[in-house]
Amino acid sequence: MNRLLLNCDIGESFGSWTMGLDAEVMPFIDCANIACGFHAGDSSIMRKTVSLALSHGVQIGAHPAYQDLVGFGRRSMAYTAQELQDILHYQIGALDGICRAQGGKVSYVKPHGAMYNDMMANPAQLRAVIQAVAAYDRSLPLMLMATRDNTAAQQLGDEYGVTLWFEAFADRAYDSAGRLVSRQLPGAVHHDCETIIGQALTIARGDNLTASDGSALHLQANTLCVHGDNASSVAAVQRIRQALNEQSAP
């Protein structure tokens, strides 16, 4: 059983509008991917979420996105490589400042939504993201999607001296290439707790998943994501944590 870090996208409320069950999730995760204001979150939400993470000893990750509050960062947008690096530095720096004011720090970076998917589909964009992380702080790992073959991404990370954390998802369906099935398609998101828990343990054991076309899919991952805006995933997170702990115990 691999020692998977359990991560969750979190801090996605905005002003008086609440999204997710951050307080319920935080005790059971290793890493909190905190929204940095471009797709969700604001300065006060960021401060509160950082405080919550620090109180539970959870690693804090910057969760930057395209500047798209209305679309929750899930719509692709056209940026030059330099513009992409600028918005990454802006968001990472903002969260890092809030962390440092409370005695913490940003420990890794995980892009959100369309930015995350676009960088996995476009090697030039992935290079720009890795360059941005390296320029800000080369010691920060970059979290990105584990696919059927991680070789090309790993080579880019090695080129810039950036550690890559490959991520799998407990609550999402995969296609044959090991990429996430579009949310616009039926069955893209798992809503059954038992299905979510089963997929989490399958990934942790290193066993094969079944892709959307029925083929066997093996993912080599360092971390497992449970989405904070999926009520079924939040309900499953405590049981996933317990199961992972039990399976990894000597």
Side-chain angles (χ1 to χ4, degrees), residues 86 112 211:
D86 291 344
H112 166 81

Side-chain angles (χ1 to χ4, degrees), residues 27-79:
F28 304 106
I29 62 176
D30 300 296
C31 303
N33 317 317
I34 299 180
C36 300
F38 271 32
H39 77 282
D42 56 46
S43 54
S44 294
I45 296 296
M46 291 162 71
R47 173 183 56 78
K48 293 172 185 176
T49 310
V50 165
S51 178
L52 184 64
L54 291 174
S55 70
H56 288 282
V58 172
Q59 291 190 70
I60 294 168
H63 197 40
Y66 295 145
Q67 196 164 14
D68 181 27
L69 278 175
V70 173
F72 197 66
R74 287 181 175 158
R75 301 181 294 188
S76 291
M77 303 180 74
Y79 287 87

Side-chain angles (χ1 to χ4, degrees), residues 1 11 28 42-43 46 52 55 84 117 130 133 145 153 157 170 184 209 228 230 237 247:
M1 176 69 65
F28 304 106
D42 56 46
S43 54
M46 291 162 71
L52 184 64
S55 70
L84 186 61
N117 290 326
I130 291 175
V133 173
M145 191 188 305
Q184 298 178 5
L209 298 175
N230 182 347
V237 69
Q247 292 288 349

